[in-house]
């Protein structure tokens, strides 16, 4: 009687189940790997071996995957070696083991990474893990309502990337409950007012780079964000 | 063509989907209407093109996202359907339970000329809104000084001094003016609070000719205090207008305004229509994320077994509405009664004269009768909702029991007809089945009788033909542990056939029960004689699996074809005591049903609970597409039935209510985990 007349209020939150499952915490996710962005990212360490920098393909708390086309680290799996993980506030010597190799990729396990450093990597990779669960929303395969955006990516966790065809705006990103606006010719802003900080920019880059199977538009956005990040705030 | 929910092909009205942060706004073009949905449902909205059924949409979302928010999807379809967003909404046939909650809004008795589809302000101004609404409320309180001590007497005195047509005209003008002011203020408030006002129109309604502003922007309210202030102010705003008018008008000019202000306020407090008063109760009692999932279930068993807190909240809401409704009805009766006494003799006298002067009194009488009809109808609804419906199931249950037959009325042919489809007996040809029944015994048990006792030697199995019973066993701490409840026609005590162990549980009749006791030896001999069963091991496994589905409160609501499908796609796994099934953090690709034994659920090294025979686990990973959220270890030798994710989903898209149920169970389990399991100190990548 009464409920029938009720005007429905819709639950505007994303699925509580995914949210709760994440809160319970999952052990393996502690060692989840995130792709290392091509641009400089202050959240994650740069890696050097014998004084020479190496490109990092992906990284986790337990180890990383390095690209070593010149075989600087040698061909043998099982070799123990020392890597220098360089953060902005100084490097750390870490004993590592080469546990696997595929072509020029070297899979490295950290043997004695300090807890503080591990926590730092863990904090850094959170943004990347957000990217992993993003899926594209497409309206092209049907005659349903039209989507007022060039492309939309979203996850059940509530993160969203809306790529626009706007003169000034390139995209709007809803990430970790904050609203970011990416401009074509200007430094991005957060929550419609504040310029995005350097750390937030790095988080965004890491988040975007880890979105699986990126489309051309998304690649363009990633490239633009990396470029913008290199330019710094104007 | 009418279709049920799963087969309904929703087609949205032409419109556009505007992504905004973590939400989307779906806007229809003509008439302008909008609804806000979570971004997670964008795929659903985009797929509502009339080409795909709800089942296909769910399947597509699963294939794309790896997970489906079942409850959100059903809620979205519910609100879209109720809001009239579907072009083909009338095609959706719902069960009687669903129909009452999901029928679209009916058209009202009014004519509208819509001239403003959407008014958008540059920015919201909640502070101005707060101050403005507070001023309206203060003005209303001051305006109440004008409330007459005897409203009907005042009306009569005022009406007696004027010509009848003049009375009607003045009431019409007063009503139109008050409603226009009310809606002007409403529009201003919504613009201040949400930055938008929708569907501004000039309307001809029983309240006169007035401006009207749609309620669509009210969905954008985010703050409960502001929402409550909004509705309270909208109920009382005529009095604030009166207070303002009192400075410019004489008391004679004010009288029709007072009459209409009373009428409008009284109407807006009516809980039986979609009034501001009704919305106020909702805003006070129902949170925005209220769960209406239980309204979608057809099966009472499912409703009973989910989310007791939410059901309690719904019941509390219903009770408060009933109390409010009762008070409103009493007031209405008192008003009608007083009106009959005050105006009745004069009206009847005027009508009996059959002149031009009779028209107005006749219209008044019609209005009075219409009011009486509304009040009586509302009274009937209140009584039905608060007294009859809650007890209807119990009454129905008793009626069923009265219809129950005694065991003397069970001829063999009827017993054969009852049990031949049971998985256990489906292998037998009818002649062998008759043989089994003839060697079996038909027993009657009173309510509360112990039919099987734990620890007794198992020599017979039973077929429950009539009545209800529950299966209980003694837990590890000597506490009785409820396993399942059985209804007709189902098999119990079948473990006797599978292994020669003593009874592991006891069966107690809840109602008078008629059961067929089948000696296991007879069944084995007949099975061998019939040669229908070549591999005894397979037969035993089939019995175990089928018995699970027949006795599980959750899964027995599935269609026979779905059960057969799941049974054929799963594999039996045998575990010893203290054996690991899976680890927290493993990738989940299957659901496990506990056919025998008990498992321990451990989260972050804390054992939270044990799940026993008849229960299931592993569903969270499948529904939410996350890694395993707990470690499962067997506590005793156990037999588990592992169902692959694909098979599970194939059944789930056909049974959306099961999906909603499992989602709710998963949520409740995770809430328990969060409450009792400490998070690891090393930190997680929790967001």
């Amino acid at each position: 009687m009464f409920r029938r007349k009720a005007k429905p209020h819709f639950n505007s939150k994303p699925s509580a189940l995914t949210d709760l499952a994440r809160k319970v915490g999952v052990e393996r996710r502690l060692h989840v790997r995130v792709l290392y962005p091509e641009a400089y990212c202050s959240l994650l360490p740069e890696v050097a071996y014998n004084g020479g920098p190496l490109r990092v393909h992906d990284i986790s708390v337990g180890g990383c995957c390095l690209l070593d086309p010149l075989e600087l680290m040698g061909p043998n799996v099982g070799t123990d070696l020392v890597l220098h993980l360089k953060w902005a506030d100084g490097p750390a010597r870490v004993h590592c083991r080469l546990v696997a190799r595929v072509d020029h990729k070297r899979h490295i396990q950290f043997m004695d990474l300090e807890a503080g450093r591990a926590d730092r990597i863990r904090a850094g990779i959170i943004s990347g893990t957000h990217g992993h669960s993003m899926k594209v929303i497409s309206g092209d395969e049907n005659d349903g309502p039209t989507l007022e955006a060039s492309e939309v990516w979203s996850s059940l966790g509530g993160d969203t990337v809306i790529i626009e065809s706007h003169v000034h705006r390139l995209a709007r990103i809803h990430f970790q409950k904050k609203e970011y606006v990416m401009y074509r010719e200007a430094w991005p802003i957060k929550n419609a007012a504040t310029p995005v900080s350097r750390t937030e920019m790095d988080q965004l880059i890491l988040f975007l780079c880890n979105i699986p199977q990126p489309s051309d538009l998304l690649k363009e956005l990633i490239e633009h964000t990396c470029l913008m990040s290199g330019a710094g705030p104007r | 063509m009418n279709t049920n929910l799963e087969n309904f092909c929703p087609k949205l009205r032409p419109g556009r989907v505007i992504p905004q942060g973590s939400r989307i706004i779906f806007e229809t073009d003509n008439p302008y209407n909008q609804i806000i949905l979570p971004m997670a449902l964008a795929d659903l909205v985009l797929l509502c093109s009339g080409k795909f059924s709800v089942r296909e949409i769910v399947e597509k979302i699963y294939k794309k996202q790896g997970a489906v928010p079942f409850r959100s999807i059903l809620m979205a379809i519910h609100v879209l359907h109720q809001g009239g967003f579907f072009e083909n909404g009338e095609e959706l046939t719902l069960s009687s339970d669903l129909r009452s909650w999901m029928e679209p809004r009916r058209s009202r008795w009014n004519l509208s000329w819509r001239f403003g589809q959407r008014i958008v302000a540059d920015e919201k101004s909640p502070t101005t809104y707060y101050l403005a609404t507070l001023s309206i409320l203060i003005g209303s309180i001051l305006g109440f000084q004008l409330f007459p001590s005897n409203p009907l007497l005042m009306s009569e005195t005022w009406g007696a001094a004027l010509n009848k047509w003049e009375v009607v005209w003045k009431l019409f003008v007063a009503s139109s003016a008050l409603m226009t002011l009310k809606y002007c203020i409403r529009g201003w408030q919504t613009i201040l609070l949400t930055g938008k006002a929708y569907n501004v129109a000039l309307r001809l309604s029983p309240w006169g000719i007035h401006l009207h502003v749609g309620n669509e922007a009210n969905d954008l309210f985010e703050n409960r205090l502001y929402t409550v202030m909004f509705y309270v102010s909208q109920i009382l705003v005529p009095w604030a207008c009166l207070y303002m008018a009192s400075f410019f008008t004489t008391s004679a000019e004010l009288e029709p305004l007072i009459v209409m202000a009373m009428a409008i306020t009284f109407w807006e407090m009516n809980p039986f229509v979609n009034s501001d008063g009704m919305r106020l109760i909702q805003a006070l009692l129902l949170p925005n994320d209220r769960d209406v999932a239980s309204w979608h279930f057809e099966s009472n068993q499912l409703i009973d077994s989910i989310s007791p807190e939410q059901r309690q909240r719904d019941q509390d809401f219903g009770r408060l509405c009933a109390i409010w409704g009762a008070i409103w009805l009493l007031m209405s009766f008192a008003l009608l009664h007083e009106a009959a006494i005050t105006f009745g003799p004069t009206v009847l006298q005027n009508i009996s004269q059959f002149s031009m002067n009779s028209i107005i009194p006749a219209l008044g009488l019609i209005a009075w009768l219409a009011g009486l009809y509304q009040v009586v109808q509302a009274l009937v609804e209140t009584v039905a909702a608060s007294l009859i419906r809650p007890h209807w199931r119990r009454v129905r249950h008793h009626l069923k029991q009265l219809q129950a037959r005694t065991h003397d009325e069970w001829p063999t042919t009827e017993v054969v007809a009852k049990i031949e489809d049971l998985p256990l007996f489906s292998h037998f040809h009818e002649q062998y089945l008759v043989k089994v029944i003839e060697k079996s015994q038909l027993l009657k048990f009173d309510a509360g009788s112990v039919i099987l006792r734990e620890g007794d030697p198992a020599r017979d199995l039973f077929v429950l033909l009539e009545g209800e019973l529950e299966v209980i066993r003694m837990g590890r701490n000597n506490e009785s542990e409820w396993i399942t409840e059985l209804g007709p026609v189902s098999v119990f005590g079948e473990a006797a056939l599978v292994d020669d162990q003593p009874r592991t549980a006891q069966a107690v009749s809840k109602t008078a029960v008629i059961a067929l006791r089948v000696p296991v030896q007879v069944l084995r001999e007949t099975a061998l004689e019939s040669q229908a069963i070549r591999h005894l091991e397979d037969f035993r496994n089939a019995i175990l699996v089928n018995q699970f589905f027949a006795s599980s409160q959750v899964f027995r609501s599935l269609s026979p074809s779905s059960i057969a499908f799941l049974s054929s796609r799963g594999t039996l796994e045998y575990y010893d005591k203290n054996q690991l099934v899976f680890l927290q953090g493993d990738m989940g690709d299957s659901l496990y049903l506990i056919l025998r034994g008990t498992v321990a659920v451990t989260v972050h090294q804390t054992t939270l609970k044990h799940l026993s025979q008849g229960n299931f686990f592993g569903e969270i990973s499948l529904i939410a597409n996350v890694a395993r959220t707990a470690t499962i270890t067997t506590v005793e030798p156990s037999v588990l039935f592992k169902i692959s994710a694909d098979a599970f989903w194939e059944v789930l898209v056909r049974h959306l209510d099961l999906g909603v149920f499992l989602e709710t169970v998963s949520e409740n389990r995770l809430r328990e985990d969060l409450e009792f399991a400490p998070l690891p100190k090393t930190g997680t990548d929790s967001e």
Side-chain angles (χ1 to χ4, degrees), chain B residues 335-362:
Chain B
L335 194 68
L336 287 169
H337 176 252
E338 282 298 314
I341 290 172
T342 314
F343 303 108
T346 330
V347 167
L348 290 175
Q349 197 185 349
N350 283 334
I351 292 172
S352 62
Q353 287 169 0
F354 294 108
S355 63
M356 278 300 283
N357 284 337
S358 308
I359 295 172
I360 302 293

Side-chain angles (χ1 to χ4, degrees), chain A residues 84-124:
Chain A
H84 285 84
L85 303 191
K86 293 183 182 172
W87 272 281
D89 58 350
R93 267 168 60 90
V94 180
H95 285 95
C96 303
R97 179 168 296 158
L98 179 61
V99 288
R101 53 167 292 183
V102 180
D103 298 332
H104 52 270
K105 286 181 184 169
R106 300 290 181 271
H107 294 276
I108 305 292
Q109 186 183 356
F110 301 140
M111 306 296 286
D112 62 351
L113 187 66
E114 287 170 35
R117 301 278 183 185
D119 284 345
R120 224 167 135 177
I121 295 181
R122 186 177 291 121

Side-chain angles (χ1 to χ4, degrees), chain A residues 36 80 109 191:
Chain A
Y36 199 98
D80 284 350
Q109 186 183 356
N191 295 337

Side-chain angles (χ1 to χ4, degrees), chain B residues 113-183:
Chain B
W113 175 56
R114 197 178 290 115
F115 55 85
Q117 287 204 336
R118 180 168 59 163
I119 299 170
V120 184
D122 289 339
E123 56 184 24
K124 300 175 197 173
S125 183
T127 317
T128 318
Y129 164 83
Y130 180 74
L131 293 173
T133 309
L134 210 57
S135 311
I136 294 166
L137 289 173
I138 292 166
S140 308
I141 292 164
L142 293 170
F144 269 125
Q145 293 173 80
L146 301 166
F147 197 90
S149 54
N150 189 336
L152 286 175
L153 192 66
M154 187 218 81
S155 309
E156 192 194 13
T157 320
W158 169 71
L162 299 167
N163 175 290
K164 299 282 179 299
W165 289 105
E166 211 176 340
V167 169
V168 172
W169 171 246
K170 286 200 171 185
L171 287 179
F172 181 81
V173 172
S175 171
S176 302
L178 281 178
M179 289 303 272
T180 303
L181 281 169
K182 177 179 154 74
Y183 279 108

Side-chain angles (χ1 to χ4, degrees), chain A residues 54-230:
Chain A
L54 287 169
R55 237 222 62 230
V56 186
H57 180 260
D58 58 59
I59 188 163
S60 75
V61 174
C64 62
C65 172
L66 301 173
L67 301 179
D68 183 20
L70 302 175
E71 298 209 342
L72 297 173
M73 288 188 280
N76 296 334
V77 170
T79 315
D80 284 350
L81 37 95
V82 176
L83 292 179
H84 285 84
L85 303 191
K86 293 183 182 172
W87 272 281
D89 58 350
R93 267 168 60 90
V94 180
H95 285 95
C96 303
R97 179 168 296 158
L98 179 61
V99 288
R101 53 167 292 183
V102 180
D103 298 332
H104 52 270
K105 286 181 184 169
R106 300 290 181 271
H107 294 276
I108 305 292
Q109 186 183 356
F110 301 140
M111 306 296 286
D112 62 351
L113 187 66
E114 287 170 35
R117 301 278 183 185
D119 284 345
R120 224 167 135 177
I121 295 181
R122 186 177 291 121
I125 64 176
I126 287 174
S127 308
T129 60
H130 274 261
H132 288 165
S133 49
M134 299 294 283
K135 302 275 189 313
V136 70
I137 293 168
S138 52
D140 51 356
E141 62 171 294
N142 60 72
D143 310 323
T146 50
L147 185 63
E148 296 265 307
S150 296
E151 199 168 274
V152 177
W153 292 75
S154 83
S155 73
L156 286 176
D159 299 319
T160 315
V161 177
I162 303 162
I163 303 175
E164 297 185 297
S165 52
H166 190 268
V167 182
H168 302 300
R169 282 197 309 267
L170 184 61
R172 281 177 290 142
I173 300 173
H174 188 83
F175 173 58
Q176 291 188 313
K177 293 173 186 165
K178 287 180 193 146
E179 188 82 34
Y180 299 91
V181 181
M182 314 297 287
Y183 291 104
R184 292 184 192 279
E185 298 292 339
W187 187 254
I189 59 162
K190 177 181 71 176
N191 295 337
T194 333
V196 169
S197 69
R198 163 61 58 189
T199 313
E200 285 167 336
M201 195 68 171
D202 288 341
Q203 284 173 345
L204 283 177
I205 290 172
L206 206 51
F207 165 63
L208 293 171
C209 287
N210 277 280
I211 295 177
Q213 298 170 340
S215 63
D216 290 342
L217 281 171
L218 187 64
K219 280 180 191 162
E220 204 179 299
L221 173 66
I222 295 169
E223 203 175 312
H224 173 85
T225 314
C226 290
L227 271 173
M228 198 52 90
S229 165

